[in-house]
Every structure is written in C-alpha cells, then in structure tokens.
Amino acid sequence: MAKWTAADIPDQNGRVVVITGANTGLGFETAAALAERGAHVVLAVRNLDKGKDAEALIRQRSPGASVALQELDLTSLDSVRTAAAQLRSEHDRIDLLVNNAGVMWTPKSTTKDGFELQFGTNHLGHFAFTGLLLDRLLPVAGSRVVTVSSLGHRLRADIHFDDLQWEHGYSRVAAYGQSKLANLLFTYELQRRLASQPTTIATAAHPGGSRTELTRNLPAWAAGLTLLVEPLFQDAAMGALPTLRAASDPQALGGQYFGPDGFAQGRGYPKVVGSSRKSHDVGTQKRLWNVSEELTGVVFPV
C-alpha cells in the first residue's frame, strides 16, 4: 500500500484553517503544507514576533500564500476569549481547527487562571478555544477539529479528578500524560456529540518521536537522554504528517487517531492507530467534559 505523504493533501482553496502554536515545529509544518495547497491559514500564536517570522517563511516557501496572524495565549482564558471573538468577527466560517500548541514536562507552575500549566495549556485552553469557535465550523460541510495528542498519553497517564491541578505533589511526566490523555478523551467525547451533525468531525493525531522545540523544558537528565536518542527521531515535517492526514484525508472518519506506522509508532508515515484503554472510557470522557466546562466557563453548542 502506498505511503500517505503531503503530496496527498487535497486542494485546500477556499478553506479557512486555524492552527494553534503554528510558529514553530509541527504547527509550522502543518500550516506551511496547508497554505501551499491553497488554504487561508491563521497562525494562532502567543509570540507575535515569532509568528511574523513564521508567516514570512511560509510566504517564502509558497509565494502568494494566504496567511494571517492571531495572538493567542492558551495559558489565559481572557486571551482565549479575545482571540476567539476576533476570529469570529473576521470569519463567518472556519473549515478546520488544529489544536496543536503544547508544553511538555514543565517545572511545576500554573496558568494565569491557576490551572496546572500542562493541563491548562494542552487541554483546558484548547477545550475553551474549540467551544468558542465551534459554531463557525458546524455549518461548514467537511469541517474538522483536529487535536494533537502524544505517545505520552500512555506514560503514567490518568485523569486525577481528586487533584487535577497537582496541588498535592507534582510529577512533570505524569502531569504531561494527564494532559495528553485529556486531549484524546476530549476528541472522543466531542465526536460523540458531533455524531448527529452531518458536517463536522473530530479527529486526533500524534507525531511519534519528532525533533521540535517541545523538549525545551526537559529536566537535565531527560535532556541528556534525548540527545542520545534524538538521531532516531524524525524531523518536524514527517512528524506533522499524522496531523495533516487527520486534517485533510477525505477518507478520515470522526474519532480516528492517526500516528506513524513504524515500530512502536515512533516514526514513519501516517496511519490510523490505536490509543490506550483509558482514553476510551466513556465515563471518564463525560466526566472530564463536564469538569472542563465548569473550569473554563465555556459550554459547547453540541
């Protein structure tokens, strides 16, 4: 069977795409590939200076590319609401939302709203952003919400409902696992709620082992280990392929999860892959959804 590559992305002319964390790494490669295929791509980024550099590089790669910037700080619900309001005022429709931005293995810290940083950024920020934009996707045939998870959703991962914000002890590895498991629980519950909608689906993806700036917060021991295994990692362009397939493959179905086809899903070309047993627990999906609505104050229109 032929391997799926960026060359398989269908024509994207007329589509409006919003990608979080699109100034670097996987998000940048996702944005560049979709812009090259003709999409109008909005780079939703925290640092506008880095966003401008990314925009210029995309235009350099694809002269005539349609690219715009939107300031978005996922660690602030005020910023999430402001960004969503601005996007809603500028776009009557959104065809694709890619929840890509994230942090990994950070020291113990909190978002501006007091959430544990990894859970607040990787899950709650994207949960709120999606909920505030969803009614711009629902009327659009073929629209999608793609959320980027990680192999880390299996690593010491659980949803600690008794201490979601890690106020009683902290493990940066387990906190990251919780946030990435939450990404999948969110995707599956969102797809269940979208099942009655004929237009919009929710999918997820993970990049395997990829060389990106996500590792910038690693502790010294992990950074040293990463240097040893980094030659086994794939570059960001390859790591973005599962996201791109989840976002654009006409055959993709709601609730599917895409990752690399190589050994242990560490590298390779994108295919539909499985996720952990915990990610498919319907009770946990529903409970996390309800808690997320309470914490963010965002209620979905589905």
Side-chain angles (χ1 to χ4, degrees):
M1 182 179 294
K3 302 292 188 180
W4 196 96
T5 72
D8 294 301
I9 299 172
D11 177 38
Q12 298 293 298
N13 276 285
R15 290 172 61 80
V16 176
V17 176
V18 178
I19 305 174
T20 69
N23 60 291
T24 188
L26 303 174
F28 171 80
E29 295 296 342
T30 301
L34 292 172
E36 183 180 6
R37 287 290 184 273
H40 172 69
V41 179
V42 179
L43 314 179
V45 299
R46 182 177 59 83
N47 187 315
L48 286 178
D49 289 334
K50 291 183 178 180
K52 290 175 183 176
D53 291 342
E55 179 182 8
L57 185 54
I58 290 174
R59 294 184 188 280
Q60 180 181 329
R61 286 192 187 184
S62 303
S66 180
V67 190
L69 287 180
Q70 173 60 56
E71 187 173 15
L72 170 67
D73 181 356
L74 289 165
T75 70
S76 165
L77 290 177
D78 284 344
S79 175
V80 170
R81 290 182 182 278
T82 297
Q86 291 174 345
L87 288 168
R88 289 170 58 84
S89 71
E90 294 168 6
H91 302 285
D92 293 331
R93 60 177 283 162
I94 296 174
D95 296 78
L96 172 64
L97 171 61
V98 180
N99 293 320
N100 162 82
V103 292
M104 175 182 176
W105 290 13
T106 54
K108 186 176 182 179
S109 54
T110 60
T111 69
K112 296 174 178 62
D113 302 285
F115 306 132
E116 186 277 316
L117 184 63
Q118 297 182 87
F119 185 67
T121 303
N122 298 349
H123 171 60
L124 290 175
H126 281 127
F127 179 93
F129 194 52
T130 303
L132 293 167
L133 291 178
L134 192 60
D135 68 354
R136 287 293 188 265
L137 288 100
L138 291 177
V140 182
S143 58
R144 298 184 189 185
V145 176
V146 179
T147 300
V148 179
S149 184
S150 165
L151 287 169
H153 89 275
R154 299 178 181 272
L155 185 60
R156 298 185 60 189
D158 207 346
I159 305 298
H160 300 270
F161 288 109
D162 59 340
D163 189 18
L164 283 173
Q165 313 309 336
W166 295 85
E167 295 170 323
H168 307 290
Y170 181 69
S171 163
R172 64 174 79 196
V173 175
Y176 179 69
Q178 173 177 261
S179 73
K180 294 285 101 180
L181 175 58
N183 288 152
L184 286 169
L185 292 164
F186 164 63
T187 296
Y188 298 149
E189 178 62 19
L190 177 58
Q191 177 55 37
R192 182 179 299 106
R193 291 166 178 257
L194 290 170
S196 62
Q197 305 287 334
T199 55
T200 309
I201 63 171
T203 60
H206 81 83
S210 299
R211 292 186 292 274
T212 72
E213 291 185 9
L214 190 64
T215 58
R216 61 185 176 274
N217 294 306
L218 297 187
W221 67 265
L225 180 62
T226 298
L227 287 176
L228 293 176
V229 300
E230 190 174 51
L232 302 177
F233 290 177
Q234 55 191 2
D235 62 25
M238 280 293 295
L241 286 180
T243 302
L244 286 165
R245 186 166 190 180
S248 69
D249 186 344
Q251 303 304 313
L253 302 175
Q256 285 185 324
Y257 182 39
F258 292 84
D261 64 358
F263 176 72
Q265 300 176 28
R267 57 185 296 147
Y269 293 89
K271 70 172 186 177
V272 176
V273 296
S275 61
S276 70
R277 175 184 54 81
K278 289 179 180 178
S279 71
H280 289 287
D281 186 282
V282 174
T284 305
Q285 293 166 9
K286 293 179 180 297
R287 185 179 179 187
L288 178 64
W289 186 281
N290 292 334
V291 169
S292 299
E293 286 193 332
E294 292 172 4
L295 291 174
T296 63
V298 175
V299 177
F300 278 56
V302 291

